[in-house]
Structure formats: C-alpha cells, structure tokens
Amino acid sequence: MIVAGAAVVELQESAHVGVAEPALLERIAAEPALVQLVVVVVVAATIVGMWLRAARRIRGSAGRRQLRDYLLGVEQYLSGDADGALRRLDAVVEADPGHLEARLFRALALTAAGRAQEAHREHARLERSDEAGWAWNLSGLAQALFEADLDRSPDGAAVPPRLGDGRAMGPALPVSGAGSLLPAGSALALPLTGLASAVHCADEIESNRAHVLRVVERVAGGESGARAECALLGMRAVPVLLERLVTPSSGASDAFLAVLGDLGAEPFEAVVEAWRAVPGDSAARISVLARYGVRLGAAGLPKFRALLAGADREVRKVVLDVHFALVDLDALDEVLEVCAPVEVLQRLNQIDHRTLVGVLSALPAGHVLLAVHLLDAAFAREDALLDAAALAVDPRPLEDVLVGRSASSAEAARAAISRLGRAETAPSARRVLARLGAGVRELLIAAYADLDQPAEVRSEVRRCLLHAGPGTVPQLCDAFGSAPAPTDADLLELLVDLGADAVPMLVDAYRAGGWLERLARPLRRRRTHRRDSIVRILRRIGGARAVAALQDLRGRETDHDLALRIAQALHALAGTPEAGGASGNSPRGDSIAGA
C-alpha cells in the first residue's frame, strides 16, 4: 500500500510539471473581500485628506483676513486715521481676543480718537497680562490718563481713573491751572496735550538703542541740552557715539567727543571694550580712541600706559599717539622705554602733522627722540622738523637733526626750500640749507630755475645762492641750454650779482664747456649759446678783472662768431673807467673788431 501511495504522489507531481504559478494580482482577485477592503481604505483616506485641506484653507483664509485687517489698521493709526483703524482692529479683536498686539494698537487708536477713558481701560487690561508688559503699553496708559476727562471732587481735586477691577491707579495729582498737573511742592508741569509720540515715549522709558540714536542725532544737530542728556545715558550711549565717530562722514565729531569727555576717566575700561567691538577702518578707529584720550588729558595717561601690557597693535599705537599729542615729556619717556624703536618710528611717520610738530617743538636738547629716533633713516618727516624748529624756543637741536641726517640730505633740502616762502620758517630753512653746503646746490638751482615756484620762494633761493658765493658758478653755467630759454634772464642776473669774485670761475666754466658740449664735441661749434651767455655776463660785470678775462678768452677762442662777440664786449667796456682802455692791449682784438 505504501508503494502505491508513493506512486500516486509521483504521478501528481509529474502532472504539475510545466504548469506556472498564479500571479499576485490573480491571487488578490481570487479574494473579493480583500479588494473591497483596499478600495474602502483608499476612499476614506481621500475624503479625510480633502477635508483636512479644506479646513486648513478656511483657517488660512481667516488668518490672512485677520492679518490684513491688523496691518491695515496699524497703518491707518500711524497715518492719523483713528476711526478707520478702530473699525479694522475691532474686527481683529472680535475674531481673536488673544491678539495682544491688535488690542494694544486698538487702545492707542482709541486715545487718538478722543475716547481716552475706553483706551485707559484697555491699557489697564493689557497691563495685567503677563505677556503684554511692553513700554508701548505703559506710555499709552500714561497718555490715556493725561487725556482722559477727569472727574472732579467738590474741593476741586482730581479723581484718578480706575482699573477694570475698580482699583484706583494711584493718588490724584492736584490740578494747578488749565492744561497741567502739578505734584505738590514740584515745579514740574506736564501738559495734558501735545505729548511726544507713544513710540518715542516707550523708547525713552526703555532707554533702548532707538532712543539713544535719537539723542545722538540731537547732539549732532547742536540741540540745547542734548549733550547733557546724552551724558546721562552713560555707557548706553558710548557704542553709538563710537560708531558715529568711526564713520568718516558722520560729522559733529567734536560734539560726540565732548560727550565722551563728560563721562570722565571712570568708565575708561568700559569705553575701551566698547571701542574694540566697533567695526571700521583701523586708522579711523585709532584716531577716535586717541582723541578720546586727549579729551581725558593727563588724568587718562596712567590708564593708557597700563594698556601697553597687552599685545594689541592698535591699542599700542593709540597709547603712543595720546602721549605725543599731550606732550607730557615725563610720561612720554616712560612709554618710549617700553616700546621698540621701530614701533616709535612707525607712529612718528604716521601721526598727523600738527601733533608731530607739537611734540617735536617741545623736545629739549639731548632728548632720546632727537638723539636716536629722528636720526634714523626710516624717519621721513623733514617738513615737520622745519615747522617745529620755527616754533621751538631753541631751534638748533632740530636743525642739527636735519643736517645730521646725511642719508636724507636731499629730502631735508627739498623740505627747507618749500619752507623758504613762509616768514616763520624761512630763517631755519636758510640756516639748514647753508649747513648742507655744496651737496644741495643743484636742488637750489633747480628750484630757482623753476618758474612755477612761488615768487617768494624763488627770491629766497636766489638769496641762498648769492650767500653760497662763486662756488655755485659751474652749476649755474651748466643750467644754460644749447639755445635761449625763459630762465636765461634770471640766471644771467644772478651770475652778474655775484660780481667780480665770480670772474675766475666764469672763465673756467667757459673753457671747460657744458655737459652737452662735452658729450657732443664734434658739434661744439653749433653749441655756443652757453659760452655766449658767459661773455654777456662778463660784459655786465665789467671792471679790470672782467676785461682781462675777456682778453684772455679772445686770445684762445677759435670760433669766429664767439671771437667777434668777445671783441664787441671789449669794445663796449673800453670806455668805462674800470676797463682802463684795455681793449686795445691786443693787436688781435683790433683785427677782430675791424672784421
């Protein structure tokens, strides 16, 4: 029997070989109850989703309508349309009594519409709310109180308005005259009308940034009492003042610094910390803190010196600037001992001209700045040295520095030349140029030949060249070009004024030739303007020495044109008493004259 059963199973398995398994959808279709369940779930989910979406849209529409009414109501209130604002804000509060902002602006609009009692009650209800303790509400409450029609008791005392639960706001203030409330024994009068904006009142109560900005603007405008009010704000005003000072175009910087000075040295550390947090250009930031230090004066110097312990480069620059500006030499010496020489030199080159002149003019002979720092080749403020010498009691130490700076004698000469035209600096400039000597003569001649220089500068340069004497003749003669130039007349007059002592140097210059003649020797005959100018100078100088020099030059000259001009010069000088009839001393002179 077992064998027969196995055969039957084997036959069934062989019958199913080659027949495919039914698909998943066919299996599901074979179960109608499962299909119905799936359809019901899908339909239910669709209905619920559509219902939720519709509900969200309805709520969103209502919320948007309330938001629109709230924003339009606020805009109407700020525009002065109190009645229109009330209509919209009433709708918002009715739909959402918990909308505290709408209730606040509704109360403000009630006050603006003249319904101060209702506004007061609304502000009082908001005041009891833990979520609405705003300064705006406090200021609105005060404004509604002042504008309310107060009931009078038989003796004329004002009966204060009451909160929503019947409690009195506080003791009534006696009424003194129309339109004011005067506390007993006080001279303060609060007008019932014309109060400031509720927003400004709220800012003032909080002393927030908006209020500080308005006070600072009043300081900038020069309004009376604004400076004292800004000083009362204390450290709350300092960041705003520093920001305005760092801004290059802010203006009114003196007024802002005056407010910082009114605070005194007590909040120094807090001011420095606020300064560190102010963004801006480094140079502007350094200038602001340095000017604050100057405002503090000597009382602030110890506090600034204490800052040198830190490694902040900007702060160290400020410390040096403050000590330079206040010209306290004892305190300055203490700072110079701490700071590196290169650090000091950098600040000397960077501080403003007026501050540098002030400190240099006060330095005594032998001071470390004169003996070390100012002689360094890295120092590049020769103009300040000259200006300081004009103010100093004894200018010689500063002049010694200018002359001793051999590495920058040219810069010193240029600075001295530029200061020759000013009466207060001309004496020091002349002495410096005289001590610099022959090394700067070319710069003097270039300045004299520069017709764009001011007339007073050229006049002083001419004076310096005359003082230098005949030694300037070779350089002056080299200033003549190969053809006439606008500067020739001035050069000729200067050489003539040097007088007979210049004659030997003129002869040497004639024989040596100019740089252009030496460079283009084959063209020497065509480059005669310089030598012709020297002949005219000798003729103008006149005298026996000039005649002798011309005779000597005539005997050596091979250029016929120049020889003719020399002969003409001798002929012109023949009748002068100083010449002594010397023009006929040479037979060659007669032949040239005859030619």
Side-chain angles (χ1 to χ4, degrees), residues 478-495:
D478 282 343
F480 289 105
S482 61
T487 57
D488 287 354
D490 292 335
L491 292 171
L492 189 145
E493 292 294 335
L494 176 59
L495 286 164

Side-chain angles (χ1 to χ4, degrees), residues 42-211:
V42 170
V43 171
T46 303
I47 294 173
V48 171
M50 293 176 65
W51 181 82
L52 292 175
R53 183 179 179 186
R56 279 198 304 271
R57 296 187 64 176
I58 292 171
R59 286 197 300 270
S61 176
R64 283 194 297 273
R65 183 167 59 252
Q66 290 179 16
L67 177 60
R68 182 193 62 185
D69 288 341
Y70 167 68
L71 295 176
L72 290 175
V74 172
E75 182 179 359
Q76 286 176 311
Y77 163 70
L78 296 176
S79 301
D81 183 8
D83 294 333
L86 282 173
R87 285 194 296 271
R88 294 191 178 277
L89 294 172
D90 284 343
V92 176
V93 171
E94 182 180 357
D96 183 7
H99 199 309
L100 300 180
E101 292 85 356
R103 290 175 59 189
L104 172 61
F105 277 100
R106 178 178 177 277
L108 295 174
L110 285 169
T111 302
R115 297 157 61 180
Q117 293 284 3
E118 297 179 55
H120 174 264
R121 287 193 293 271
E122 184 66 34
H123 281 302
R125 284 193 291 268
L126 284 171
E127 180 64 19
R128 291 195 302 272
S129 173
D130 293 337
E131 300 178 2
W134 311 307
W136 273 40
N137 188 55
L138 292 175
S139 63
L141 181 64
Q143 189 167 352
L145 171 64
F146 291 145
E147 296 189 4
D149 291 327
L150 301 179
D151 296 331
R152 308 290 179 189
S153 65
D155 59 357
V159 178
R162 298 184 173 272
L163 298 174
D165 57 3
R167 292 183 290 110
M169 285 291 295
L173 298 176
V175 178
S176 175
S180 66
L181 294 173
L182 287 176
S186 173
L188 177 63
L190 298 176
L192 294 179
T193 58
L195 292 176
S197 164
V199 176
H200 293 186
C201 289
D203 292 340
E204 186 170 1
I205 290 170
E206 294 181 344
S207 291
N208 58 18
R209 183 177 175 84
H211 175 62

